[in-house]
Amino acid sequence: MSEFYKMKIAGLERELEKFPVNDKLDIAAFIIFGDVELTIAGCKELLSRVPEFDVVLTPEAKSIPMAYEMARQSGKPYVIVRKGVKVYMRNPLEVAVKSITTANTQKLFLGETEVNKIKGKRVLIIDDVISTGESLAAVRELVKKAGGIEVAACAFLAEGDAADRDDIIFLEKLPLFFK
């Protein structure tokens, strides 16, 4: 039988299903895919809290709807950091990352076209959830390598100790569930 964690995000109530990470820790899974109402409301709330920016940047995949909606609401472009090199990506920049929700080390990439979109620009980094900060650190490294200027990093949720950070903007705290 599934367990759920109930919370309010951008004024909307949601129930997040809990899943085990290991025998000592569960997380409440925040899946934004398909939740148009929350995507619109959460992006509007985040945009009211962030500084001026020129381009939105997000790692694939769960936060892509957020990147699109923040771009739509702000009228600014967005760029996706890819998890694999595509044939249409010339001269990709690369960094490695180990995330709490991913079993193995991953690599993140920006192609030359995307690098040109952020070089010299004020970059707003967004994600759905910031937890350990490993993914954020990797994205920040890519922004720096590409010559972008990070103005802020934001997420709908800050999980666990991430809620104590002062270098991110977030809407709500998401606890970790220790057994």
Side-chain angles (χ1 to χ4, degrees), residues 89-154:
M89 293 172 74
R90 278 187 232 91
N91 305 314
L93 296 180
E94 169 186 326
V95 296
V97 63
K98 177 77 171 106
S99 166
I100 189 174
T101 55
T102 307
N104 300 312
T105 299
Q106 293 182 340
K107 292 185 178 181
L108 299 177
F109 303 91
L110 277 177
E112 188 175 302
T113 300
E114 290 72 31
V115 167
N116 290 335
K117 288 180 182 178
I118 67 172
K119 187 175 185 174
K121 299 287 189 334
R122 297 173 296 175
V123 179
L124 176 64
I125 300 170
I126 67 164
D127 211 343
D128 57 333
V129 179
I130 296 174
S131 186
T132 63
E134 295 298 321
S135 297
L136 175 57
V139 171
R140 283 177 160 159
E141 186 178 338
L142 271 177
V143 169
K144 188 175 180 180
K145 279 184 171 184
I149 304 151
E150 178 191 339
V151 295
C154 64

Side-chain angles (χ1 to χ4, degrees), residues 151-172:
V151 295
C154 64
F156 277 12
L157 305 176
E159 186 173 53
D161 292 342
D164 298 328
R165 295 175 64 151
D166 60 5
D167 66 330
I168 60 173
I169 298 165
F170 60 94
L171 299 181
E172 298 296 335

Side-chain angles (χ1 to χ4, degrees), residues 19-78:
F19 290 93
V21 172
N22 56 44
D23 60 346
K24 295 181 176 152
L25 175 67
D26 286 352
I27 60 170
F30 177 66
I31 312 296
I32 195 69
F33 289 139
D35 195 336
V36 175
E37 179 185 40
L38 182 55
T39 301
I40 292 169
C43 288
K44 181 178 180 182
E45 180 66 27
L46 271 180
L47 283 169
S48 75
R49 298 180 187 195
V50 299
E52 275 295 312
F53 62 93
D54 300 312
V55 62
V56 173
L57 180 120
T58 194
E60 75 181 347
K62 288 193 313 181
S63 53
I64 291 174
M66 293 170 56
Y68 169 82
E69 184 58 23
M70 289 182 87
R72 189 190 70 77
Q73 288 184 28
S74 69
K76 307 286 175 76
Y78 71 98

